[in-house]
Amino acid sequence: MAEEMAQAQPRLTAPRSVRCIVKLGGAAITNKGELESINEENLRSACAQLRHAMSESDGDGAMEKVLGMDWSRKPGDPVDPAVDAEWIAGIARLGLDTNFVVVHGAGSFGHFQASRSGVHKGGLHSTLVKAGFVATRISVTSLNQEIVRALAREGIPSVGMSPFACGWSTQQRKLASANASQIFQSLHAGFVPVLHGDAVLDELLDCTILSGDVIIRHLAQLLSPKYVVFLTDVHGVYDRPPTDSNAVLLREIEVDDIGGWSIVKPALLQGNTKGVEISVAAHDTTGGMETKILEAAVIARLGIDVYITKAGTEHSLRALKGDVSTDSEDWLGTIIRSSK
């Protein structure tokens, strides 16, 4: 069904091939143990690295002075934001390759509300589920706004887009409708769309949760990016929960034509097709790392390399730049690619 939707969407309105789709993992940009708490340091680092990766100059940035685009006043600010309109008007171009799409997880936003009310199970006839649907969307859209603001402070022209508001819906939790016209138009205008996991309507269940990882898979089919990056709170995919002292980082995974996958690196696990042990937090209604791996495998089957690495590190910057290959022994992360 997702493939049929991808074929039905107009592809020529985007100015050129999208360079990268980035997933900001909820566990990386929020403090998952604290309700609605943003990991400010990780978020700032991810946004700064994204700007660096977008820069069209040879230096560390497109211009010495960052053109901040968050002109709103936050609670507690002593004065109104300073906007140097004359300086901004004199800038001919941003000097950024804005052919990126950002999708973020919810982390400590939304999951609590969804799990307490059972939104992911459906049933809007229930007052609890209906109230939880509203509460979940309030939470995830507030996080989306903060991420757009953080990107804007780095001079990245970002626009938030909620799947629910764009008319995305599911049928028994599988994506059924996904209007991407706003995404195409925004890319064409030089904006960076910022989407997020969301509570959406479901044709059979009334409602459910649409995860950011599923959104990325659909966008990869639609936009054919050069590569996809998942930024997480760990260095990549492990053969067991990374909290286990015996956990081994899987450096390279191959995916075949029918979706089967095997470990290529490290050599001690070469050929292993049994999968990995998965641990999912009790409040996580989207499947955690398991969903991430499955969706990444679908993307890799399209011939698009997927890089999974830890946010806020030199490895994440290299991934965002696309400066990673299967021979990169000094890069910490997981590469998931097609076996073709």
Side-chain angles (χ1 to χ4, degrees):
M1 183 176 290
E3 287 83 356
E4 293 174 0
M5 284 191 293
Q7 292 173 0
Q9 295 281 358
R11 299 174 64 89
L12 301 178
T13 50
R16 56 186 182 273
S17 176
V18 168
R19 179 174 160 194
C20 177
I21 299 176
V22 182
K23 168 67 187 298
L24 298 177
I29 58 172
T30 72
N31 300 306
K32 269 206 159 184
E34 303 174 31
L35 180 62
E36 298 187 341
S37 170
I38 295 175
N39 186 323
E40 300 284 358
E41 181 179 354
N42 273 4
L43 180 57
R44 275 195 303 270
S45 175
C47 293
Q49 288 189 349
L50 192 53
R51 182 179 186 277
H52 190 165
M54 290 178 175
S55 174
E56 295 175 342
S57 71
D58 294 330
D60 290 342
M63 57 183 70
E64 291 183 7
K65 182 179 177 181
V66 174
L67 198 174
M69 298 181 186
D70 179 10
W71 300 351
S72 54
R73 183 175 179 178
K74 297 185 71 173
D77 287 351
V79 294
D80 292 341
V83 179
D84 189 344
E86 185 176 349
W87 173 71
I88 295 171
I91 298 173
R93 56 191 299 274
L94 293 176
L96 299 176
D97 175 6
T98 56
N99 268 295
F100 281 68
V101 176
V102 175
V103 181
H104 66 83
S108 61
F109 289 72
H111 286 303
F112 167 78
Q113 291 85 350
S115 62
R116 286 295 295 268
S117 59
V119 168
H120 56 298
K121 298 177 182 178
L124 285 174
H125 58 276
S126 163
T127 303
L128 175 62
V129 173
K130 184 163 288 185
F133 189 96
V134 173
T136 299
R137 295 213 66 254
I138 289 172
S139 186
V140 296
T141 54
S142 67
L143 175 61
N144 181 254
Q145 183 182 48
E146 290 306 310
I147 290 173
V148 169
R149 293 183 72 165
L151 289 165
R153 286 192 288 270
E154 285 293 331
I156 299 173
S158 312
V159 287
M161 294 186 184
S162 294
F164 175 84
C166 290
W168 290 39
S169 63
T170 58
Q171 184 178 46
Q172 207 158 7
R173 300 192 180 93
K174 296 185 183 297
L175 196 56
S177 175
N179 187 336
S181 60
Q182 286 188 352
I183 297 172
F184 284 117
Q185 291 167 11
S186 297
L187 286 167
H188 186 75
F191 291 109
V192 175
V194 184
L195 291 84
H196 59 88
D198 203 0
V200 297
L201 299 179
D202 186 282
E203 293 176 14
L204 296 179
L205 304 174
D206 292 340
C207 65
T208 192
I209 298 297
L210 177 63
S211 80
D213 297 325
V214 173
I215 293 170
I216 281 192
R217 181 250 296 161
H218 179 67
L219 292 180
Q221 293 170 324
L222 205 58
L223 301 170
S224 300
K226 296 178 180 178
Y227 53 96
V228 171
V229 177
F230 286 80
L231 298 182
T232 73
D233 61 336
V234 292
H235 280 296
V237 179
Y238 291 78
D239 66 335
R240 64 198 73 191
T243 51
D244 189 321
S245 59
N246 295 316
V248 176
L249 177 64
L250 309 184
R251 305 293 292 266
E252 184 180 345
I253 296 173
E254 272 189 356
V255 181
D256 61 28
D257 288 342
I258 60 174
W261 58 280
S262 61
I263 297 166
V264 177
K265 294 179 183 179
L268 74 152
L269 295 175
Q270 201 168 58
N272 182 351
T273 58
K274 294 181 179 179
V276 297
E277 295 179 30
I278 302 293
S279 62
V280 180
H283 64 273
D284 194 337
T285 57
T286 62
M289 184 61 80
E290 183 175 18
T291 301
K292 197 181 308 297
I293 296 170
L294 293 174
E295 299 300 343
V298 173
I299 295 169
R301 284 176 61 194
L302 301 172
I304 302 167
D305 286 351
V306 178
Y307 310 136
I308 303 177
T309 192
K310 188 173 183 177
T313 64
E314 60 179 297
H315 312 290
S316 57
L317 177 58
R318 286 180 59 182
L320 290 170
K321 288 182 173 182
D323 183 22
V324 178
S325 74
T326 55
D327 298 323
S328 303
E329 296 296 336
D330 60 340
W331 183 76
L332 279 182
T334 300
I335 300 175
I336 302 180
R337 61 177 180 81
S338 170
S339 59
K340 294 180 181 178

